[in-house]
Amino acid sequence: MEIADRRAVTIHYTLKDDGDKVLESSEGREPLTYLHGVGNIVSGLEKALTGKQPGEVVKASLAPVEAYGERDEQRIRNVPLRKLPEARVRAGQRYRVQTDRGPINALVTAVKGDYATVDLNHPFAGMSLHFEVTVVGVREATAEELEHGHVHEPGGHHHH
Ligand code: ZN
């Protein structure tokens, strides 16, 4: 079965930056299963995988616009320390922050006085990404998965 919209796709993947440094990899772990065609993975990778079959190896180099977008200086903000969840805030910490567009990860880049400088950009924003993907499996998604917009794999997903 080939990869198409509304199918659950299982992949092993390695993600590298321009300097050939591994940023993420499923090697030595469970493969990733996702619902194809609904934005569970970055758009450029969805495009590169469409039509591929189990056993195929796909290499895709993505510009930021096809991956996590460009870095946006508007997404770097000064936030009062009292609005952050931890008592002791340090540079380098990450927080899950609720926004009107859903939860995002925020990185504290500096702490000055009663304020922390927080970067809301995705860690891979502004980067060209190089994927090497092995397609492990493809199956039809269940009606429930399509309704939820994500797959229900054993151990791979839990509801809030
Ligand atoms: Zn669900």
Side-chain angles (χ1 to χ4, degrees):
M1 182 182 286
E2 66 176 38
I3 296 175
D5 288 355
R6 303 166 66 83
R7 287 178 177 164
V9 179
T10 301
I11 57 173
H12 268 298
Y13 71 97
T14 297
L15 169 58
K16 292 179 178 176
D17 66 11
D18 276 336
D20 215 33
K21 181 186 161 213
V22 175
L23 301 171
E24 277 182 16
S25 179
S26 64
E27 218 171 288
R29 295 194 284 129
E30 289 294 303
L32 170 74
T33 300
Y34 74 94
L35 182 59
H36 194 81
V38 297
N40 284 178
I41 61 171
V42 296
S43 65
L45 189 57
E46 273 201 332
K47 212 161 118 190
L49 288 172
T50 299
K52 302 295 193 247
Q53 307 263 3
E56 282 195 76
V57 175
V58 180
K59 288 188 178 184
S61 287
L62 309 180
V65 66
E66 305 170 291
Y68 291 96
E70 298 291 351
R71 283 185 59 80
D72 179 358
E73 299 308 312
Q74 304 285 338
R75 293 173 67 82
I76 298 171
R77 301 200 185 138
N78 286 315
V79 177
L81 288 180
R82 61 184 160 76
K83 291 215 166 178
L84 291 171
E86 308 228 338
R88 188 159 148 47
V89 177
R90 291 186 312 274
Q93 283 176 326
R94 284 192 175 281
Y95 294 102
R96 207 147 174 83
V97 175
Q98 293 296 330
T99 72
D100 43 9
R101 292 168 65 192
I104 54 173
N105 280 307
L107 172 67
V108 176
T109 56
V111 179
K112 267 184 208 144
D114 293 334
Y115 285 83
T117 304
V118 170
D119 186 350
L120 300 176
N121 285 290
H122 190 280
F124 301 156
M127 292 170 67
S128 295
L129 299 178
H130 308 276
F131 285 93
E132 184 169 325
V133 176
T134 303
V135 182
V136 177
V138 183
R139 63 169 171 81
E140 296 292 351
T142 65
E144 191 187 42
E145 287 173 330
L146 290 171
E147 194 187 313
H148 288 195
H150 54 232
V151 294
H152 296 158
E153 288 287 308
H157 174 69
H158 55 95
H159 283 117
H160 307 288

